[in-house]
Amino acid sequence: MSTSSLSSPSSSSSPSSSSSSQAPSPTAARPRDLVATGPARCLLDRLAGLRQTASALVEHRSAGDPTASDPLRGLYMSEEAVRHLLRAWPRAEPDADVPPEVWAPWPEDTGDPDDRLARTAARLHLTELDAAVLLIALAPDLDRAFEPLYGYLNDDVSRRRATVGLALDLCGVPAHLPDARARFHLAAPLRALGLLTVEEDERPLLTRSLRVPDRLTAHLLGDASSDAALLGLLRAMPVPQPHAEHDEGFVRQLAARIGEGPITAYLREHREGDALAVLASALCAAGLDALRFSGPADRVPQLLREARLSGRAVVVSGLPEQPGPMVAELTAATDVTVLLADPRPYDPQWSAHDPLVLQAPRLPAGGTAAWRTALGPAADAFDLAGTVAPYHLGAERIGRAAQAAATLAAFDGTALTAAHVRLAARQQSASGLEQHARRIRPAVTWQDLVLPGAPLAQLRELALRARHRDRVLGAWRLSAGGGRGRGVVGLFAGESGTGKTLSAEVVAADLGVDLYVVQLSSIVDKYVGETEKNLERIFTEADRTDAVLLFDEADAVFGKRSEVKDSHDRYANMESAYLLQRLESFDGIALLTTNLRANIDDAFTRRLDLVVDFPFPDPGQRLALWRHGLSHVPRADGIEVDGLARDFELSGGAIRSAVVTAAYLAAGRDEPVATGDLVEGARREYRKAGRLVPGEASW
């Protein structure tokens, strides 16, 4: 150890000597002057007072210490040093003959708004001793001159941070006082709030090192950035949007409660984004900023510390799969406003500190005002209300969808259109339905349907109900109650090939959503109860997804209940009973198709909004179907389809198959489709059905 080292006093008889080898002094190791303003200036002013205290304590210790000039002091214990310690023991008071005025690490609060240490101590209800300990512990992180001072006072040149004993000495507090020692316990405010770390648990309490988190030091210096441990885990709150009149009262009531002081609340939301929109409006009305967290439970301590330092609320929307540990830690922080949102009901087993449990109002479909704000003037170029009516997106996802729509329009090199908005909205309505259903991106329109007027009008009414169900059943309060949802359920009945699945696709296309065809093989299970579980997953996903759910051949799962003669009948009836209850609370759009309407249980029929019968096409409709199928196919001159429509009684699906067969035959010859190709296609459809081909000789 060099005698000129700042880590220990040198060979002079007193640290106050002018020799370069004397004990550390507050001026000898002072770094070059810093120009500081605002919070940094206030903190450095406090450190200047602490340097005087530490310097006085060094002077006092070195005055009677025979080893003060030993350059190896702190590295070994000489006999003289041991005798000096024995003469000074026992000591009832810390350095009792040091003038009390040197114990001044915490001067009076001047009321300076830039004094973040004083403001933080007041907001977190810290004692003066707590605030002084924080200042002592963070000093080496701001001024290197404190390292040799602390090394000397710790009697160990390698221990250049404050210890528990040194902090108490600098504060003039006896180390044997239980209340003073309790300030360093794990449950004490400094440690419980994440403001102080007491290291080296294996050492005696007085020699344990103290460390202040870098984030706290940065905050006290005026740094407004968030904790680096939360990088990528904080998301912006959505822009507050106007709510329906019957929801405004809830928002005002919640805002008033937030304004009264820290609150812990759990909002159960019907759909993702419902609660977040309400919280954004309530926090804005209460004038409180928030940290919206989306991360693992092990980052909650840093999150709460950040909320305490910045005076913001904590918002967690969408809890992890196992929410217990996170909820328990968040709800235990009664000094911070914590707002939780999740579709699941609150479980008291998650935490011993129950929050205020509320039901978030449903987010109305469309959200035209939010869409108009996000899209800007470009929204005036098309029917915005009609375009966005089927979508139930939160404010955040509306903003993202608006950005995606603008990007799509720029890619196409055109102005923003309703088609861009629909496509972007579908992308934001993520779904897990593909695990149990086949996804279809609709590529058809009403012009692709060839149906009589009555079923066509019913299909348009079905789309109309899907668009306006929130207004009629919600705002106008025409829901039947009893926990019933706001879903739209329709039954398409008719023979195979009459256009049931195509109609479902057209309805989905008109609404601007995807069509999911449920694969019955993926949900029907031989084990008792598993079919219901699979159906529940499908309905739950469909509830939160803007999509049309299609149960093709629905009589397989929606069939009539039978008399119970054995266990198979009993469990089959249990599945039907479950479906009856689930349809009551369904909030999405579900369509059922069947070839035999009589096979559907009457109890299901009562719960249907519409039953659309698809008749077998008559000759006039068959003629329209043949012409529609050939509309994009190269045809030979003089092609004749009137006779085909009259002589071949085919459904719409069979006519399409016949046209496809004819097209392949013509493509093989590299010629346009001729009448003979169409006749052959129609004959094959008859043969596939096992029917006698009519008038075969005349063709």
Side-chain angles (χ1 to χ4, degrees), residues 349-434:
Q349 295 185 355
W350 290 346
S351 173
H353 307 275
D354 291 334
L356 173 65
V357 180
L358 302 170
Q359 180 69 46
R362 295 190 182 198
L363 186 71
T368 309
W371 279 100
R372 190 173 301 279
T373 300
L375 293 171
D380 297 330
F382 52 90
D383 179 14
L384 179 63
T387 300
V388 302
Y391 306 112
H392 296 70
L393 299 179
E396 180 185 25
R397 292 205 174 185
I398 287 176
R400 294 171 61 180
Q403 293 180 358
T407 303
L408 289 170
F411 178 79
D412 292 340
T414 64
L416 185 69
T417 64
H420 295 132
V421 174
R422 288 194 182 101
L423 179 57
R426 285 206 302 267
Q427 292 171 350
Q428 290 300 318
S429 184
S431 174
L433 282 172
E434 292 189 49

Side-chain angles (χ1 to χ4, degrees), residues 190-208:
L190 287 178
R191 299 184 65 181
L193 300 180
L195 306 178
L196 183 72
T197 302
V198 180
E199 301 174 330
E200 305 166 302
D201 290 343
E202 73 282 358
R203 299 181 67 97
L205 176 63
L206 296 181
T207 59
R208 295 176 189 173

Side-chain angles (χ1 to χ4, degrees), residues 80-339:
E80 187 179 12
V82 172
R83 290 178 177 175
H84 171 70
L85 290 176
L86 291 174
R87 287 194 299 268
W89 187 87
R91 187 173 58 178
E93 299 290 340
D95 300 299
D97 52 346
V98 178
E101 57 268 17
V102 305
W103 291 320
W106 185 254
E108 291 293 329
D109 183 7
T110 62
D112 190 337
D114 287 332
D115 191 349
R116 287 202 171 187
L117 183 56
R119 303 282 80 74
T120 301
R123 184 168 61 250
L124 302 183
H125 306 290
L126 301 179
T127 66
E128 289 190 0
L129 178 59
D130 291 334
V133 168
L134 281 182
L135 184 66
I136 293 167
L138 66 81
D141 293 314
L142 293 180
D143 191 340
R144 289 175 295 173
F146 283 94
E147 291 188 76
L149 288 172
Y150 286 178
Y152 177 83
L153 294 172
N154 283 325
D155 290 327
D156 187 341
V157 295
S158 65
R159 300 181 64 76
R160 302 162 74 86
R161 284 194 171 274
T163 60
V164 172
L166 176 56
L168 292 176
D169 283 346
L170 287 172
C171 293
V173 178
H176 62 269
L177 294 181
D179 289 345
R181 299 171 69 91
R183 309 314 296 175
F184 301 92
H185 289 176
L186 190 61
L190 287 178
R191 299 184 65 181
L193 300 180
L195 306 178
L196 183 72
T197 302
V198 180
E199 301 174 330
E200 305 166 302
D201 290 343
E202 73 282 358
R203 299 181 67 97
L205 176 63
L206 296 181
T207 59
R208 295 176 189 173
S209 297
L210 304 178
R211 186 184 298 272
V212 172
D214 292 342
R215 174 60 194 128
L216 175 57
T217 304
H219 169 75
L220 296 178
L221 288 172
D223 188 351
S225 59
S226 297
D227 196 327
L230 302 176
L231 186 64
L233 304 179
L234 296 179
R235 302 168 65 184
M237 289 291 291
V239 178
Q241 300 292 337
H243 293 266
E245 183 177 350
H246 56 279
D247 295 335
E248 278 295 335
F250 179 89
V251 173
R252 287 194 299 268
Q253 188 176 0
L254 180 59
R257 177 60 188 87
I258 292 173
E260 293 174 0
I263 174 180
T264 304
Y266 182 94
L267 272 70
R268 185 185 181 188
E269 56 186 358
H270 177 74
R271 219 173 201 214
E272 181 184 358
D274 286 0
L276 192 59
V278 172
L279 292 177
S281 299
L283 287 167
C284 181
L288 183 63
D289 293 332
L291 296 167
R292 183 185 169 199
F293 179 70
S294 178
D298 60 1
R299 299 297 176 88
V300 170
Q302 292 89 342
L303 172 67
L304 291 173
R305 182 178 64 206
E306 187 67 29
R308 291 179 176 115
L309 293 179
S310 60
R312 288 182 281 184
V314 170
V315 173
V316 180
S317 177
L319 296 172
E321 185 176 353
Q322 299 295 333
M326 177 180 286
V327 173
E329 192 166 3
L330 286 171
T331 54
T334 56
D335 60 325
V336 177
T337 292
V338 176
L339 304 170

